[in-house]
Amino acid sequence: MSVAVRADVARSEVQELIQLRWLRRIRWAALMSLAAIFFAANYLLELRLPKIAIIGILLIGAFSNYALGFLRSPSPRAYKLASGGAIILDVLLLCSLLYLCGGYTNPFSMMFLAYVTLAAVVLDSRWTWLVFVVSLACFFGLFFFHLPLPQLGMRHHHTEHESFSLHLHGMLVAFVLIGWIVAAFVTRMNREMREKAEQIAELQRAEDEQRRLMSLATLTAGAAHELATPIATLQLISEDLSATLGAEPRWSEDVRTMQQELDRCSEILQRMRSGGAELDGEAPRHFVLTEVVNEVKETFSKAEAARIIFSGCIDEELTLWSLKGALVGSLKALIKNGLQASPQGGEVMCDATLLQDEVLFAIRDTGSGMSDEVKARAGEPFFTRKELGQGMGLGLYLTKLFAAQVGGNVAISSTIGKGTEVLLRVPRTMRV
């Protein structure tokens, strides 16, 4: 799991724990308020309420809230079940209290809306609408089933027509409208806030990635610059040694090996320089996509070229304004990675698709794929799974650097046993 994914998971877990903590606090506040109202109504107003039943209902709520505190690190599913179940239980307990205390005539029947609002804040839309439906069913049921309290100023009506007076119809309609508005508005607002937070987090991750790539590019360019002089000096010395000792069997093999390794070092430096094309002095220019494809093809042998299948819009005369050398190097590196990852004789697809003002290159191989751990590290400089001498772990890193320079991006999808696909998105006009 990548650092960014772990950070998102940790952020989600912290948010759920905070919401769960506040839910418990709100439930304690509601229970204590109902208890205070009960004792005030029973002893100050002398309403003669059923004490034992009401105390039992309040104890059930207190016990459930106490049990909720044992949920320390819930999974998203456990959090929704615990929070949603607690709120629905509170709705049922409130319905039970109102049943014992006058039903719909009790002014505290509007407290159902508080639980709908609470669900909209701490839960998703499905749970919110479930709480709304349960609350509406309880509120509607209290019109038919409740113990009357004459002290509230309304007589208990026994017939259906008397119960549904104009006033009571209005209460029911008002409850439905207010509950629907609260549920719809708050859930929509929370959804938009979550979407905006995700967009901001994604932009932050992209900015951090680009900043990291640019800092690595600066470091790479500096290292290449510092190493260029000593390697050039060693190459001159190797040429002198070759001229002096090249004919002697004892030293000729060593001199030849030294020259090969120095040539390899020079190639690495060249790739490090060409990867940071903009830093190395390459200027954006206009070119045709077919020119890039032809240059990429020329870098591979006939046997390798036979395994590469180009498709899509690569034969169209598409004009781009970008870093041509860096684009050629990026496609070459991605295709080479695909050839090395694929089995002997396996094909590599290079498909180009025009998407409005962007060109999407999709390079697919038939290799063994990447694990999640390897995919998370793919693109780090000098990270490679290849055998010694087959690669330096710079290809994907330099490709990401090029994409960041021109305003594009790189995405990787891989399945174990089925291969890997790398998507390189390049604007037709370089974004500067």
Side-chain angles (χ1 to χ4, degrees):
M1 186 182 294
S2 65
V3 175
V5 173
R6 288 197 298 268
D8 290 341
V9 172
R11 190 181 301 111
S12 176
E13 291 177 350
V14 170
Q15 180 179 357
E16 290 172 353
L17 287 174
I18 292 174
Q19 290 177 338
L20 191 62
R21 188 184 308 126
W22 276 101
L23 175 61
R24 293 185 67 238
R25 293 175 179 174
I26 292 173
R27 295 187 75 211
W28 283 127
L31 287 169
M32 289 188 291
S33 299
L34 290 174
I37 293 170
F38 160 70
F39 284 108
N42 192 69
Y43 294 104
L44 298 181
L45 301 180
E46 299 181 353
L47 294 182
R48 298 188 301 276
L49 302 175
K51 303 181 184 64
I52 297 177
I54 292 178
I55 292 175
I57 293 173
L58 293 175
L59 287 177
I60 292 174
F63 178 78
S64 67
N65 207 33
Y66 177 76
L68 200 62
F70 290 97
L71 200 61
R72 300 297 183 184
S73 299
S75 64
R77 181 179 177 84
Y79 165 77
K80 292 178 182 179
L81 288 174
S83 302
I87 295 176
I88 290 178
L89 176 62
D90 288 342
V91 171
L92 297 177
L93 294 177
L94 176 62
C95 183
S96 302
L97 288 173
L98 293 175
Y99 169 81
L100 299 172
C101 303
Y104 65 89
T105 63
N106 194 311
F108 289 96
S109 59
M110 286 294 119
M111 280 191 66
F112 284 119
L113 295 176
Y115 291 111
V116 175
T117 306
L118 182 61
V121 172
V122 302
L123 296 171
D124 57 23
S125 59
R126 290 177 297 181
W127 276 99
T128 300
W129 288 112
L130 178 59
V131 172
F132 172 65
V133 170
V134 174
S135 301
L136 180 60
C138 291
F139 186 79
F140 187 78
L142 290 173
F143 279 83
F144 299 96
F145 308 102
H146 64 270
L147 299 180
L149 284 180
Q151 295 90 338
L152 291 178
M154 296 186 67
R155 296 182 298 106
H156 179 52
H157 303 282
H158 297 282
T159 64
E160 181 180 356
H161 295 291
E162 289 177 341
S163 297
F164 280 92
S165 63
L166 181 61
H167 173 70
L168 300 182
H169 275 93
M171 287 180 61
L172 181 61
V173 172
F175 182 90
V176 173
L177 287 177
I178 296 174
W180 181 84
I181 291 172
V182 169
F185 175 77
V186 178
T187 52
R188 183 178 180 85
M189 180 185 66
N190 283 341
R191 184 170 63 250
E192 290 185 0
M193 290 177 63
R194 284 194 297 267
E195 290 174 354
K196 292 297 182 183
E198 291 173 359
Q199 292 176 2
I200 293 174
E202 183 63 30
L203 290 174
Q204 184 64 45
R205 285 194 295 269
E207 183 180 356
D208 292 341
E209 177 69 12
Q210 185 170 2
R211 187 183 299 112
R212 186 177 69 90
L213 286 173
M214 295 305 294
S215 63
L216 288 173
T218 304
L219 179 63
T220 302
H225 177 74
E226 294 296 328
L227 292 173
T229 300
I231 289 179
T233 302
L234 290 175
Q235 284 180 324
L236 292 175
I237 295 174
S238 69
E239 291 175 2
D240 292 339
L241 291 175
S242 177
T244 305
L245 304 175
E248 297 185 15
R250 179 182 176 183
W251 301 105
S252 59
E253 185 65 25
D254 293 337
V255 172
R256 191 179 304 110
T257 301
M258 183 173 64
Q259 288 179 327
Q260 290 174 351
E261 294 301 319
L262 286 173
D263 290 339
R264 184 165 178 267
C265 290
S266 298
E267 180 186 355
I268 293 174
L269 287 179
Q270 180 60 33
R271 291 190 62 187
M272 291 170 67
R273 285 175 168 177
S274 62
E278 191 176 63
L279 297 176
D280 197 43
E282 180 181 2
R285 58 193 175 99
H286 289 93
F287 56 89
V288 181
L289 183 58
T290 52
E291 299 176 5
V292 174
V293 175
N294 291 333
E295 291 187 24
V296 171
K297 291 179 178 179
E298 292 174 357
T299 61
F300 294 98
S301 64
K302 291 183 178 180
E304 292 174 329
R307 299 169 54 194
I308 306 172
I309 300 177
F310 292 92
S311 62
C313 63
I314 58 174
D315 294 329
E316 300 180 15
E317 296 298 317
L318 292 178
T319 301
L320 288 81
W321 188 77
S322 189
L323 306 176
K324 180 181 178 182
L327 177 57
V328 172
S330 298
L331 292 177
K332 174 188 172 183
L334 296 179
I335 294 174
K336 183 179 180 181
N337 288 345
L339 291 172
Q340 292 175 338
S342 300
Q344 187 67 29
E347 295 180 341
V348 173
M349 298 287 299
C350 181
D351 180 75
T353 305
L354 180 61
L355 303 174
Q356 295 182 349
D357 59 344
E358 295 180 326
V359 179
L360 177 64
F361 297 95
I363 293 85
R364 296 184 292 271
D365 63 49
T366 55
S368 57
M370 301 180 185
S371 64
D372 292 338
E373 292 76 14
V374 173
K375 187 166 63 174
R377 293 196 61 189
E380 294 182 5
F382 303 107
F383 172 75
T384 180
R385 296 184 300 165
K386 301 173 184 175
E387 296 180 1
L388 185 62
Q390 290 190 355
M392 299 169 288
L394 287 174
L396 189 56
Y397 155 67
L398 296 176
T399 301
K400 284 190 172 183
L401 177 60
F402 159 69
Q405 289 174 346
V406 300
N409 60 68
V410 176
I412 303 174
S413 61
S414 184
T415 303
I416 297 295
K418 294 186 179 180
T420 300
E421 180 181 52
V422 180
L423 300 177
L424 171 61
R425 191 183 298 268
V426 179
R428 292 188 62 182
T429 300
M430 176 178 172
R431 301 189 183 107
V432 293

